[in-house]
Amino acid sequence: MLNIVVCVSGGGTNLQAIMDAVSNGQITNTKIAGVISNNPGAFALERAQKAGIPSFCISPKSYESREDFNEAFLAKMDELNPDLIVLAGFLVVIPEKMIQKFKNRIINIHPSLIPSFCGTGYYGLKVHEAALDRGVKVVGATVHFVDEGTDTGPIIYQKPVMVEEGDTPEVLQRRVMEQAEWIILPKAIDAIANGKIKVKDGKVVQA
Ligand code: GAR
């Protein structure tokens, strides 16, 4: 059984997709051990509570320094002892110590086709604003392992989504979630839980 901890900052629609996929059997062999948010107001926390999943808020604002926050975040993670950490709209830089400790055991969903529209400053709605500004016709989402860089780790799955005439960032964001994120994130968790993929020479291959 793969124990996962899901980290969230906002609405938690990706968390909801994971919880639904665990309930309906699209994700097998997996237990959600806990949900951690940096944001006390995150609706994602309510979703977790409603589903009876232990949830915790660890906010940088409650600590004197970033180091203190990182220590508390790591301590909670150690306590929950996950096999896999899932970043589902988590807008906090992961401490390097955590990345090293959980090498190839942290995954992230990003709302673009990496390497487009990714890296520092590209998160949430900003990604979709940038895509529309550039006038690209195809966007999408990527689920990848987390390494020391920003959005640079081995890519697990990607799924393209078409831009449509008249799209606003909000409309495009929703379509990318519906047609890509909510599909490939659960699929990646199931693949990891069932030993279907592995990292070889910095790339994801079938196990
Ligand atoms: C999602 O679109 C996710 O891909 C994005 O934040 C949103 C969270 O929505 N993540 C990033 O931009 C990470 N760089 P949600 O809280 O409804 O799942």
Side-chain angles (χ1 to χ4, degrees):
M1 188 67 96
L2 187 84
N3 259 313
I4 67 170
V5 166
V6 185
C7 297
V8 292
S9 296
T13 64
N14 278 285
L15 168 65
Q16 191 67 55
I18 296 166
M19 294 190 302
D20 292 348
V22 169
S23 309
N24 70 23
Q26 276 174 325
I27 296 176
T28 59
N29 207 18
T30 298
K31 181 174 187 276
I32 307 175
V35 169
I36 300 177
S37 178
N38 61 308
N39 169 14
F43 184 63
L45 284 172
E46 282 183 42
R47 293 181 191 267
Q49 279 152 19
K50 208 170 154 200
I53 296 168
S55 58
F56 310 90
C57 178
I58 304 175
S59 166
K61 289 183 187 141
S62 313
Y63 297 89
E64 270 185 20
S65 67
R66 199 67 186 185
E67 289 72 39
D68 289 355
F69 163 75
N70 285 348
E71 283 304 314
F73 183 33
L74 203 55
K76 180 53 78 183
M77 205 52 94
D78 282 341
E79 190 187 307
L80 294 168
N81 195 24
D83 302 305
L84 181 74
I85 299 170
V86 179
L87 309 181
F90 189 57
L91 304 181
V92 169
V93 175
I94 301 299
E96 216 164 288
K97 217 166 145 186
M98 193 179 280
I99 295 173
Q100 280 151 13
K101 187 162 186 179
F102 290 87
K103 190 170 163 54
N104 291 337
R105 292 195 295 138
I106 309 177
I107 64 171
N108 177 51
I109 183 77
H110 183 76
S112 78
L113 294 173
I114 290 174
S116 287
F117 309 114
C118 65
T120 308
Y122 286 102
Y123 58 89
L125 217 46
K126 288 182 192 292
V127 175
H128 306 289
E129 284 165 2
L132 290 176
D133 275 352
R134 183 61 184 84
V136 294
K137 305 302 179 208
V138 182
V139 291
T142 303
V143 55
H144 63 93
F145 284 107
V146 172
D147 65 8
E148 281 80 1
T150 306
D151 303 327
T152 52
I155 291 171
I156 305 171
Y157 295 126
Q158 294 187 300
K159 198 167 185 295
V161 173
M162 299 306 290
V163 176
E164 291 177 17
E165 200 65 36
D167 271 351
T168 62
E170 290 79 7
V171 167
L172 187 58
Q173 178 182 51
R174 182 76 191 182
R175 189 179 312 117
V176 169
M177 285 173 159
E178 281 174 2
Q179 295 184 6
E181 297 184 37
W182 303 342
I183 298 165
I184 61 173
L185 183 57
K187 190 175 162 195
I189 296 169
D190 183 66
I192 293 165
N194 291 290
K196 290 183 191 160
I197 57 166
K198 63 177 183 186
V199 178
K200 194 176 169 234
D201 303 330
K203 294 188 183 68
V204 172
V205 294
Q206 300 220 345

